[in-house]
Amino acid sequence: MRFEAPAGYLVVSGGELVRQGMEGGRSFAEYRQDEPGKYVAAAVGRFADLGLRQEGRLAVRAFGLPRTREQTQSLLLSTEKVMAFLTDLFGPCPYSFMNLAVLEGRTPGGHSPPGMILIQQRPPLLIGRTALRDDPASFYDVPGFFLAHELAHQWWGQGVAPQNYRERWLAEAWAQYAAALWVRKLDRFAIWAWRHTDAGPVNLGHRLGHLRGDPQIYRAIVYDKGAYVVHMLRAIVGEETFDRAIPAFLAEHRFSKAGTDDLREALEAASGKALQPYFTSWIYGTALPVLRYTSKTEAAGSAYRTVVDVRPRNLPGPVPLQIAVTTEGGREEQTVTLAAEGGHFTVTTPRPPRKLEINGDRALLARVERGR
Ligand SMILES: [Zn+2]
């Protein structure tokens, strides 16, 4: 693909930059991308080629504007690290040449076309001057979150494309989950998910944003609740199984479309578990689990036995649940399997319990209530 621009400007697109220069007073750039893409994107600006970093079979070239030079160089290093992390998680990047272009804008933003990543950053003068509205999709205050989200779209969105607008979560929830794993934060998703879950199911996709004319609803449900559902599915099938099944799923559907059923079937085949009830509740439904528990502690010889009784509502099937008891001497954590109809669990501690926590690791997107 060859692009031309007025002198002083450079066009950044996806793929390997094979040639660039001046011809007849105009600048030109030629890119070669061997992998298929859904579309071609190009950014035109006073870009300078700031260098290439290659790690294994993946090469990343950075392009910065005169004012984003420094940020671009540091983003290039971060990009390399995030890409290595995502490769571990999802398998090889669908595109072997990536171009990173860094722009300036009032609102931070990004776009992730095939083989390319555009990051829009706030000019340093604006940072701290004007507050950005709290948003379900962009945790502006968490460094690296946005970059990881956009880069993950090379796998989810480009490498594999959602079948239709209802399957949007196959791109956004997964990009969001990958970003959360990268920054090790998931807790804020729960707040957004609970705030808007009644508005409609994840599977309503883009239409969620039009329900009340509030685009935050779409992002809260498709991005954040969706990411949490991915997290729960990972725990249900087991991390090891999940981490094997997902790269295989992505490889199988590479450069084609996939839907929720394809994903469910892949996870079912890998785990031998029936997952339809979870998808029915969490992707096609709106209800989220509520766990009501009671507990009783009694002395058992020289130790203390705490029996916890958990009664769930809206739980589609068995899930791993963490129960933690803190005593003066330490913390006793157990991960049990909670059945849809509930159960009771015993935690024995050498000292009297001071604090009991149900779902303390937030593995479940659940509301926990203490009963009497
Ligand atoms: Zn996204």
Side-chain angles (χ1 to χ4, degrees), residues 94-113:
Y95 296 94
S96 44
F97 282 91
M98 291 288 302
N99 294 316
L100 164 74
V102 183
L103 318 159
E104 269 188 338
R106 287 198 144 259
T107 318
H111 189 50
S112 198

Side-chain angles (χ1 to χ4, degrees), residues 322-327 329-333 349 355 357 360-361:
Q322 191 194 66
I323 297 178
V325 176
T326 309
T327 67
R331 185 178 157 96
E332 183 72 35
E333 283 174 4
T349 48
K355 192 178 164 196
E357 269 181 293
D361 61 353

Side-chain angles (χ1 to χ4, degrees), residues 11 56 62 68 86 112 114 155 179 185 222 241 341 352 359:
V11 178
T68 62
L86 294 174
S112 198
W155 283 261
K185 263 179 202 283
V222 173
T241 305
E341 55 278 9
N359 193 36

Side-chain angles (χ1 to χ4, degrees), residues 53-316:
R53 291 185 71 92
Q54 174 119 27
E55 174 80 40
R57 56 175 285 280
L58 176 70
V60 184
R61 189 181 290 279
F63 297 88
L65 298 168
R67 284 169 56 137
T68 62
R69 237 189 141 87
E70 258 172 63
Q71 289 162 295
T72 307
Q73 255 137 5
S74 91
L75 274 171
L76 175 59
L77 298 178
S78 310
T79 297
E80 207 182 3
K81 286 184 198 141
V82 177
M83 290 305 270
F85 173 78
L86 294 174
T87 301
D88 264 1
L89 204 59
F90 298 141
C93 179
Y95 296 94
S96 44
F97 282 91
M98 291 288 302
N99 294 316
L100 164 74
V102 183
L103 318 159
E104 269 188 338
R106 287 198 144 259
T107 318
H111 189 50
S112 198
M116 181 183 184
I117 172 115
L118 273 159
I119 295 286
Q120 182 165 300
Q121 293 212 325
R122 302 186 92 193
L125 271 175
L126 268 181
I127 294 171
R129 280 269 191 91
T130 45
L132 291 160
R133 191 181 171 206
D134 202 14
D135 186 89
S138 320
F139 299 146
Y140 301 120
D141 54 324
V142 183
F145 187 91
F146 208 78
L147 180 67
H149 176 106
E150 292 304 330
L151 287 171
H153 274 315
Q154 294 296 313
W155 283 261
W156 299 93
Q158 301 304 348
V160 171
Q163 209 118 55
N164 53 52
Y165 74 90
R166 286 183 168 274
E167 309 283 17
R168 213 43 230 165
W169 79 284
L170 282 179
E172 297 302 348
W174 288 78
Q176 196 75 335
Y177 184 57
L181 289 180
W182 173 245
V183 301
R184 297 168 189 277
K185 263 179 202 283
L186 198 71
D187 43 340
R188 267 197 251 175
F189 294 172
I191 300 168
W192 286 107
W194 278 105
R195 193 176 294 170
H196 292 297
T197 188
D198 290 337
V202 169
N203 166 261
L204 215 50
H206 278 306
R207 277 167 59 195
L208 284 161
H210 306 299
L211 289 178
R212 291 174 205 156
D214 181 357
Q216 284 206 340
I217 294 176
Y218 164 66
R219 294 198 292 272
I221 294 174
V222 173
Y223 288 52
D224 293 352
K225 180 184 163 184
Y228 226 117
V229 170
V230 174
H231 186 57
M232 293 195 283
L233 290 171
R234 192 180 189 199
I236 289 162
V237 302
E239 266 184 38
E240 213 178 288
T241 305
F242 184 95
D243 293 353
R244 206 165 14 88
I246 293 307
F249 167 81
L250 288 168
E252 192 192 333
H253 295 278
R254 178 137 297 172
F255 303 126
S256 62
K257 290 182 174 179
T260 303
D261 286 340
D262 300 317
L263 178 79
R264 177 180 49 76
E265 283 162 18
L267 289 174
E268 285 180 338
S271 66
K273 290 184 177 171
L275 301 173
Q276 184 65 60
Y278 303 97
F279 281 82
T280 302
S281 287
W282 296 338
I283 299 295
Y284 301 103
T286 59
L288 289 170
V290 178
L291 313 179
R292 198 173 174 81
Y293 75 96
T294 54
S295 70
K296 212 165 59 191
T297 300
E298 51 194 29
S302 61
Y304 295 83
R305 191 186 297 138
T306 302
V307 180
V308 186
D309 189 64
V310 187
R311 296 289 131 197
R313 268 186 290 134
N314 307 331
L315 191 63

